Every structure is written in structure tokens, then in C-alpha cells.
Amino acid sequence: MILEQILAATREGVKARSRHRPLGALERDAVDAPPARGFAAAIAAAPGRLGLIAELKKASPSAGVIRDPFDIEAIAASYAAGGASALSVLTEGPHFQGTLAALERAAGAGLPRLQKDFLVSEYQVFEARAAGADAVLLIAEALDPERGRDLLSLALELGMDVLYEAHDAVNLRRVAEVAERSPDRVLVGVNNRDLRSFEVNLETSLRACRELPDGLLLVAESGIRTAEDVRRLRHAGARGMLVGESLLRAADVEAAVRALLLPLTEGAA
């Protein structure tokens, strides 16, 4: 399965990078980095109570190359101008053509930045903070519960927020229980994409809005393309949405963001 392939490549990548940049030096860089900005707070304060996390992603295993040329600074600025609340920056290399440098290059847009990668080790959490990440992604389907708790605790200790993502119902309930302990720092990501089959269904997020406890910052991820999708998510009670491909394929990215957010600026339900 593609998830196992990505995780295997991630572990090998961590081993290689740690030989060139030892953990001790990385820890010092993480501690010395400028303070993280409030990623979760930016979503919680979004107009219309539904914040857009706009994604910077050059390619994916399912879609291939999405945008080329891929001008990170220009796209990030367009996202900010269009009304996005935060950025998600793909940093995984072999399958998504991402880099840590992309995270740093997106800083000029002035929005809180999520490092979107497949985290499996403490090394990567320190790496994210050293590169300026304000939040990191954890994936329930990629981590056993204890490992997930350890990485989450480290991220919070370093000042970052966490988008803790799941797809399966059992994992979503587990993630929700974790998020209830720190609801102002841990967002519950509902991945509409099944990482085993890569099929996408928006109903996954709509169902989670109905079934998970109130008071959580629930973020719908994948398969959000139209203003009608936004209306449905807002009506269901989602607090955030992570959108990339549909915006990145637009000729005018800023206009695409404004069109997607129109139901919120108009006050439509």
C-alpha cells in the first residue's frame, strides 16, 4: 500500500538526515527558532467560523504534478490575499516533491504554517520547529497510540500546535479523546481520503461532525472543491478545511480562494 511505502521512505530519509545533522544540534536549532504563531487560534478566529488551511503541494501520488512552475512565495501570497487563515506546506520529498525549504519560503505570506509530512520520529518534530513550523501533522493510521501521544506531547512542548488526522471511525474517536485534553492546541483532522485506497468522500467529514464531541476544532481534509462543499461543511459544524489541489490548478489562485470562501463572506449557511 502507498502509505507503507511512504512511511518506509520517511524512515530511511530520517536516518540519512540524522547522519548529517545530529539530533543534538537540531534540538538547539529548534529551541532557538522564533516562537511559533498560534495555528489553532488562527483557525478558531476565522471569519464565518470556518478557516481555510490552504495547501502548498507541488505533486501527489494520486494526482501527479499539480502545478508547474511551482512558485511557493507567489502562491502563498495569493492564498493570504484571498482570505486563507493558515498554510499547509508539504515537505515530504519522494512522493510529494516537498522540502523543508518550502516551509521556510512560505513564511513571507505572514500566515501560520503547518508542516505536512509523515511524522514517525522525534527527529522530525525538532526538524519542523527548527524550520519555523507553527504546527505539525500527525496521522493516526501511521502511528500506534503511544507513539502518537509522545510526538504530540513533544510538539506541544516546543510551542507548536498539532493537526491530528484520522480517517477510520475508530481512529477518529481516539484522536478526539486526545484533542479534548487540549482543545485549544490540538485540531482534529478528518481525512476524507482513505490512505489505503486513495478514494475520497466528503461524507466522512460530515459524519464526523455529527458523531464527534462538540467543542473541538474539526478540520475537513481532501475533496473540498466548491462553494457548495463549504456550505455543507459549515452547516455541519466543521471549524476548518484543508484545501490544495482545486486551488492550485486555478489560473488565478487568489480569485479561486475568494470564490471558495464566498459562502462565508456572504454569511450564507
Side-chain angles (χ1 to χ4, degrees), residues 32-54:
D32 292 340
R37 293 170 290 180
F39 186 91
I43 302 305
R49 291 180 59 82
L50 183 60
L52 171 62
I53 305 169

Side-chain angles (χ1 to χ4, degrees), residues 52-208:
L52 171 62
I53 305 169
E55 188 151 88
L56 289 156
K57 176 173 64 175
K58 181 176 181 179
S60 77
S62 60
V65 174
I66 297 169
R67 190 179 184 95
D68 190 21
F70 187 64
D71 188 330
I72 292 170
E73 290 88 349
I75 298 168
S78 294
Y79 281 156
S85 296
L87 300 175
S88 167
V89 186
L90 255 296
T91 60
E92 197 275 350
H95 301 85
F96 292 87
Q97 299 188 32
T99 64
L100 275 173
L103 186 69
E104 297 167 341
R105 288 172 59 193
L111 296 177
R113 289 161 294 155
L114 166 78
Q115 187 213 21
K116 191 173 182 186
D117 209 320
F118 295 78
L119 269 61
V120 295
S121 76
E122 286 82 358
Y123 187 93
Q124 291 170 284
V125 179
F126 283 112
E127 204 173 38
R129 183 79 279 272
D134 304 295
V136 292
L137 174 74
L138 297 179
I139 303 173
E141 280 78 16
L143 299 163
D144 65 59
E146 183 176 358
R147 192 67 172 146
R149 285 192 297 270
D150 289 345
L151 296 180
L152 182 142
S153 295
L154 176 59
L156 296 181
E157 181 182 330
L158 291 173
M160 294 184 289
D161 295 333
V162 174
L163 176 60
Y164 206 157
E165 166 195 303
H167 173 80
D168 294 341
V170 172
N171 284 329
L172 279 169
R173 287 193 293 272
R174 173 165 63 84
V175 169
E177 290 175 0
V178 173
E180 283 185 297
R181 299 171 200 149
S182 302
D184 59 333
R185 301 281 307 281
V186 181
L187 306 94
V188 178
V190 184
N191 194 348
N192 296 313
R193 186 186 304 278
D194 186 331
L195 292 178
R196 291 163 302 210
S197 67
F198 267 64
E199 294 179 358
V200 179
N201 188 348
L202 188 65
E203 180 59 33
T204 305
S205 286
L206 300 175
R207 183 171 58 250

Side-chain angles (χ1 to χ4, degrees), residues 1-60:
M1 292 189 295
I2 186 66
L3 179 59
E4 279 90 3
Q5 295 173 14
I6 293 173
L7 293 175
T10 296
R11 294 185 184 98
E12 288 303 313
V14 169
K15 288 179 183 178
R17 294 197 302 279
S18 64
R19 287 194 290 268
H20 296 284
R21 191 180 188 186
L23 180 59
L26 187 59
E27 289 177 354
R28 290 191 293 273
D29 291 342
V31 171
D32 292 340
R37 293 170 290 180
F39 186 91
I43 302 305
R49 291 180 59 82
L50 183 60
L52 171 62
I53 305 169
E55 188 151 88
L56 289 156
K57 176 173 64 175
K58 181 176 181 179
S60 77

